[in-house]
């Protein structure tokens, strides 16, 4: 018996009768959206998940941006298992002793149709999978897909699972098996490999805090909530930090470039501990009791690191296709997974209807992705992942920005106030920033956001 | 950064907040012979569950039971054949409630 891992291999099978029209692997947001659309189109679909329930294996920072849900689930905000609605978003640039925060709040985001919400994956993923089941999908939990089934020509015709007699044959297999996607790799869709430099490790602690304490400390009330992203809190290891509010807990963690963390002689939990002691963070989480610790990989390579998305009889969606958008410390993946899964489901249904599940028959998937935010945003922001994970952004800019602002705000009289240009030159020099790099990085950043 | 009034919980206590449905089959195995000649010991620093323990002879002690199944170890390890990696069998392994 083989198991699902980097060494997964395909099995060649003779012509078979289909168990399902479509098999979706992985009941994360991508998989559930895909299964939902296939079921809605009237085709039979199995949604196979290795966890005992959807979400059991999944970890993220904590915020879902809901706009794509408008298309999938009408009035989703009335049904989604939400912790808090994000009405305040803050970005913090920090050094061990300084913190500069850009803090934005709007009550518009606290009412329908809402913008972002915090939710736990166990709740969110289970809810999404339940929507697919209501539409007619068959959820198969506690089941690992161990490899692909192919016909003699090499086309994908189903999956092998770790259940006894567990082969499931299908017209189309949609791989939504997340960042490690052994299926996309087995199918040869990653030509360059899903290498470590495109991956970050997210490590998170959930801290219980009384609801009133959260409302007081984060200056929100009712179901309003806050997300804070941070740069400069990872001792120069490429990455960043996050702090999100739930109803009666907060999620705090760091995201670390994989090659950086394995070289630095620092362990991830030490970095979280340090972040928790930071003077700008400690008062917010004081007394919080740790109730869970978790970790997961993130595909941060963006557009340039994406694999082939379509094969004969197979589509790849979500993190399995590196569709997580990490334009810096802002991490969006659930919305991209939902969008990609939805289009994959539609493309599979269209191919079945036309009676052509070859790569050509499934090509509508790529067109739909390109016309939507999924690939458009990725293409537009293709240079940002590298910029934010660069040494300068990690090691030099946070200090430069904090020193600059400290210089602006500090009152030194009777010495005369230094001019902005002097301050800028001084803070750049003190933090080892060269003008040439600053101008170039500024240009890349602006172009990315254009 | 030195405000230590709020003592960090011991790592074992942190890990004890996580549910593991331990399967009898070790889904990851480590060949300590290969590890002996490894100079980076990348796994020791990167595994978020701190499951790779260096031994005095330069090898590695590894226990799969509290694994998050993240994939970090096989990605950072460049010791050929040091790690045999797979997911635990269906339903087994880590169960996150607040992931
Ligand atoms: C620390 C961290 C912070 C993040 N923060 C955010 C955030 O705040 N907001 C946001 O939008 N995104 C965030 N992301 C990204 C987001 O989590 C992902 O982009 C998103 O979950 C991708 O969804 P998916 O369905 O493609 O994959 P996943 O959610 O990873 O789902 C894959 C599913 O496949 C299953 N599976 C895998 N292999 C098999 C197999 N062989 N057989 C059966 N089942 C299998 C898994 O158990 C899992 O349920 C974050 C990620 C991390 C790690
Ligand atoms: S598991 Fe890999 S990285 Fe770790 S000590 Fe062994 S060879 Fe080195
Ligand atoms: S998969 Fe992750 S948690 Fe498990 S041993 Fe490897 S690095 Fe550690």
């Amino acid at each position: 018996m083989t198991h699902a891992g980097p060494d997964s291999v395909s099995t060649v099978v003779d012509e078979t009768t289909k168990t399902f029209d479509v098999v979706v692997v992985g009941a994360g947001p991508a998989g559930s959206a895909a299964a939902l659309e296939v079921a809605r189109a009237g085709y039979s679909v199995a949604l196979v998940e290795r966890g005992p329930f959807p979400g059991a294996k999944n970890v993220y920072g904590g915020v879902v941006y809901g706009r794509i849900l408008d298309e999938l689930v009408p009035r989703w905000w009335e049904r989604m298992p939400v912790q808090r609605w994000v009405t305040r978003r803050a970005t913090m640039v920090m050094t061990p002793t300084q913190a500069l925060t850009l803090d934005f709040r709007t009550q518009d985001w606290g009412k329908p149709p809402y913008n972002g919400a915090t939710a736990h994956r166990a709740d969110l993923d289970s809810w999404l999978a339940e929507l697919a089941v209501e539409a007619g999908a068959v959820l198969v939990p506690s089941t690992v897909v161990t490899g692909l089934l192919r016909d003699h020509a090499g086309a994908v015709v189903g999956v092998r699972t770790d259940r006894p007699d567990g082969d499931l044959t299908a017209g189309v297999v949609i791989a939504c098996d997340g960042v490690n996607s052994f299926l996309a790799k087995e199918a040869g869709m990653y030509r360059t490999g899903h290498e470590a430099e495109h991956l970050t490790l997210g490590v998170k602690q959930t801290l219980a805090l009384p609801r009133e304490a959260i409302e007081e400390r984060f200056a929100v009330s009712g179901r309003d909530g806050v997300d804070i992203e941070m740069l400069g809190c990872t001792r120069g290891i490429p990455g960043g930090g996050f702090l999100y509010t739930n109803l009666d807990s907060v999620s705090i963690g760091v995201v670390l470039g994989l090659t950086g963390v394995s070289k630095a002689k620092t362990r991830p939990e030490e970095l979280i501990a340090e972040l928790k002691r930071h003077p700008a963070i400690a008062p917010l989480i004081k007394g919080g009791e740790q109730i869970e610790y978790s970790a997961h990989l993130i595909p941060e390579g963006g557009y340039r690191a994406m694999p082939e998305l379509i094969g004969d009889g197979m589509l790849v969606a979500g993190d399995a296709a590196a569709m997580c958008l990490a334009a810096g410390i802002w991490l969006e993946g659930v919305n991209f997974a939902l969008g990609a899964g939805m289009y994959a489901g539609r493309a599979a249904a269209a191919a079945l209807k036309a009676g052509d599940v070859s790569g050509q028959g499934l090509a509508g998937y790529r067109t739909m992705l390109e016309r939507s935010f999924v690939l458009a945003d990725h293409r537009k922001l293709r240079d940002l992942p590298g910029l934010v994970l660069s040494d300068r952004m990690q090691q030099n800019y946070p200090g430069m920005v904090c020193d600059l602002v400290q210089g602006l705000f500090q009152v030194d009289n009777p010495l005369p106030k230094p001019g902005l240009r002097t301050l800028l030159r001084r803070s750049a020099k003190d933090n080892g920033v060269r003008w040439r790099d600053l101008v170039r990085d500024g240009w890349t950043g602006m172009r990315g956001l254009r | 950064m030195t405000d230590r009034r709020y003592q960090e919980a011991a790592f074992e206590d942190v890990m004890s907040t996580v549910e593991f449905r331990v399967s009898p089959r070790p889904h990851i195995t480590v060949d300590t012979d290969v590890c002996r000649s490894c100079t980076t010991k990348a796994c020791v620093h990167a595994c978020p569950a701190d499951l790779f323990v260096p031994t005095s002879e330069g090898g590695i002690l590894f226990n799969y039971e509290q694994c998050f199944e993240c994939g970090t170890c096989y990605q950072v390890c460049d010791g050929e054949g040091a790690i045999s990696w797979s997911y635990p069998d269906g339903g087994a392994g880590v169960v996150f409630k607040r992931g």
Side-chain angles (χ1 to χ4, degrees), chain A residues 201 295, chain B residues 27-28 43 46-52 62-64 66-74 83 85:
Chain A
L201 170 65
Chain B
H27 62 282
I28 301 173
C43 59
C47 169
D50 200 10
L51 299 177
F52 292 79
F62 176 80
N63 186 321
Y64 70 98
Q66 293 196 313
C67 169
F68 292 149
E69 301 154 31
C70 63
T72 299
C73 52
Y74 88 81
I83 296 178
W85 203 99

Side-chain angles (χ1 to χ4, degrees), chain B residues 29-44 52 58-60 73-74 76-83:
Chain B
T29 56
V30 177
D31 183 346
T32 193
D33 286 339
V34 181
C35 298
R36 267 193 206 99
S37 55
C38 170
T39 50
T40 65
K41 297 281 190 286
C43 59
V44 174
F52 292 79
I60 287 288
C73 52
Y74 88 81
V76 299
C77 171
D78 38 38
E80 191 68 42
I83 296 178

